[in-house]
């Protein structure tokens, strides 16, 4: 009972923060699963399935706002899903320390980039919606999809910043797209791909799923009630913390 309650609380906190910042639930959730004794592959499979509930909780809240453009949603899915499946196939075949170190450096860089761009993402100014802009944006989304399928945390934050930097979305709108599309569809595809190769810890999933739905819904509600500046600061804080944590984890593996 204590174990299940702990899993529920960790899931609430991790997914609540992720819903407010636009990604990063794995920062807390995956290390806890490893600490409780799961192997990396089992913990990864369990985390990826549980992370789908982040998308469910966020979708329940953001759909009420009706701010998402259907064509742009389909574009993000078409660009990213092939990469997610490919990443899910290769993750369990690769050495993890170099990929974790690389992801940590890149994630920290995202946060610092946003810090040093004070006006980034504060206004919604759509751009690069012509053919070449969409192709370039889609190629990067596909690459991020590979990272999403193959790595454990932080890749939703990559999508958040890319939608802001390349397509001109503000933080609030970008987070909405990420939580619904990455949280539900990208994570769902990655979860199926990994779970087929490595079964999750089934008896831990109910607590993780319940915590994720409630945490994501609550975090999304808080994010929608706050302005872009607050979300920007949360994004920057979470990306830098996740990046430093991943770098530390990678160094311990050497």
């Amino acid at each position: 009972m204590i174990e299940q309650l702990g899993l529920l609380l960790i899931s609430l906190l991790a997914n609540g923060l992720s819903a407010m910042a636009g990604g990063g639930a794995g920062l807390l959730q995956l290390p806890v699963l490893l600490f409780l004794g799961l192997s990396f592959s089992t913990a990864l499979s369990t985390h990826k399935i549980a992370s789908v509930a982040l998308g469910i909780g966020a979708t329940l809240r953001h759909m009420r706002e009706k701010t998402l453009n259907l064509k742009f949603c389909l574009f993000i899915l078409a660009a990213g899903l092939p990469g997610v499946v490919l990443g899910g196939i290769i993750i369990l075949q690769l050495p993890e320390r170099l990929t974790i170190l690389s992801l940590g450096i890149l994630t920290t860089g995202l946060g610092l980039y946003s810090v040093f761009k004070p006006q980034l993402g504060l206004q919604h100014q759509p751009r690069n919606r012509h053919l070449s802009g969409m192709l370039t944006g889609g190629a990067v989304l596909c690459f991020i999809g590979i990272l999403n399928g193959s790595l454990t945390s932080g890749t939703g934050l990559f999508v958040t910043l890319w939608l802001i930097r390349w397509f001109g979305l503000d933080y609030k709108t970008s987070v909405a797209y990420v939580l619904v599309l990455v949280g539900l569809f990208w994570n769902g595809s990655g979860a199926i791909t990994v779970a087929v190769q490595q079964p999750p810890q089934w008896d831990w999933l109910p607590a993780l799923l319940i915590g994720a739905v409630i945490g994501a819904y609550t975090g999304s509600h808080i994010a929608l009630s706050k302005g872009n500046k607050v979300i920007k600061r949360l994004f920057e804080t979470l990306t830098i913390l996740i990046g430093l944590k991943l770098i530390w984890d990678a160094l311990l593996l050497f």
Side-chain angles (χ1 to χ4, degrees):
M1 188 66 182
I2 294 176
E3 181 181 79
Q4 293 293 320
L5 181 59
L7 291 169
L8 176 66
L9 292 176
I10 288 296
S11 183
L12 275 169
L13 178 61
N15 288 281
L17 288 173
S18 181
M20 286 188 281
L27 172 67
L28 293 175
Q29 190 162 277
L30 186 72
V32 168
L33 297 180
L34 294 171
F35 177 77
L36 292 175
L38 297 186
S39 67
F40 176 78
S41 57
T42 303
L44 178 63
S45 179
T46 305
H47 163 66
K48 282 191 172 293
I49 292 176
S51 67
V52 178
L54 166 66
I56 295 173
T59 298
L60 291 173
R61 181 63 185 88
H62 281 285
M63 283 303 183
R64 291 170 50 189
E65 302 299 313
K66 299 180 179 180
T67 57
L68 303 184
N69 180 280
L70 179 58
K71 289 184 178 180
F72 196 55
C73 286
L74 294 175
F75 165 73
I76 294 173
L77 292 178
L81 286 178
V84 173
V85 174
L86 177 60
I89 292 173
I90 66 175
I91 176 55
L92 299 179
Q93 319 302 324
L94 296 177
E96 58 179 297
R97 63 177 181 267
L98 290 178
T99 54
I100 292 176
L101 179 61
S102 299
L103 182 64
I105 294 171
L106 288 171
T107 305
T108 305
L110 290 183
L112 293 175
Y113 177 82
S114 182
V115 169
F116 288 105
K117 293 284 186 178
Q119 299 305 311
L120 183 71
L122 296 184
Q123 294 184 346
H124 188 75
Q125 298 174 325
R127 57 179 176 267
N128 289 322
R129 303 304 173 91
H130 47 75
L131 180 59
S132 62
M134 296 295 280
L135 289 174
T136 302
V140 174
L141 286 173
C142 184
F143 175 72
I144 299 174
I146 295 174
L147 295 179
N148 178 271
S150 60
L151 297 169
T152 57
S153 64
T155 50
L157 300 167
F158 280 63
V159 181
T160 298
L161 192 62
W162 181 244
L163 294 180
I164 293 168
R165 179 64 184 85
W166 186 253
F167 291 110
L169 276 61
D170 60 86
Y171 268 97
K172 187 181 292 188
T173 306
S174 181
V175 166
Y177 277 106
V178 169
L179 292 177
V180 174
L181 301 177
V182 175
L184 187 57
F185 295 99
W186 285 29
N187 287 351
S189 299
I192 293 171
T193 305
V194 173
V196 167
Q197 303 174 80
Q198 175 63 52
Q201 186 76 14
W202 291 109
D203 57 328
W204 288 8
L205 280 173
L208 293 173
L209 292 170
I210 293 170
V213 171
I214 297 174
Y217 186 93
T218 304
S220 297
H221 179 77
I222 294 173
L224 287 168
S225 66
K226 303 296 182 181
N228 282 311
K229 286 186 177 180
V230 174
I231 300 174
K232 178 178 168 69
R233 293 292 174 261
L234 285 169
F235 173 88
E236 293 163 353
T237 301
L238 201 57
T239 49
I240 292 173
L241 288 176
I242 288 175
L244 293 176
K245 175 65 168 57
L246 290 171
I247 292 171
W248 175 256
D249 289 345
L251 293 176
L252 291 178
L253 294 173
F254 280 96

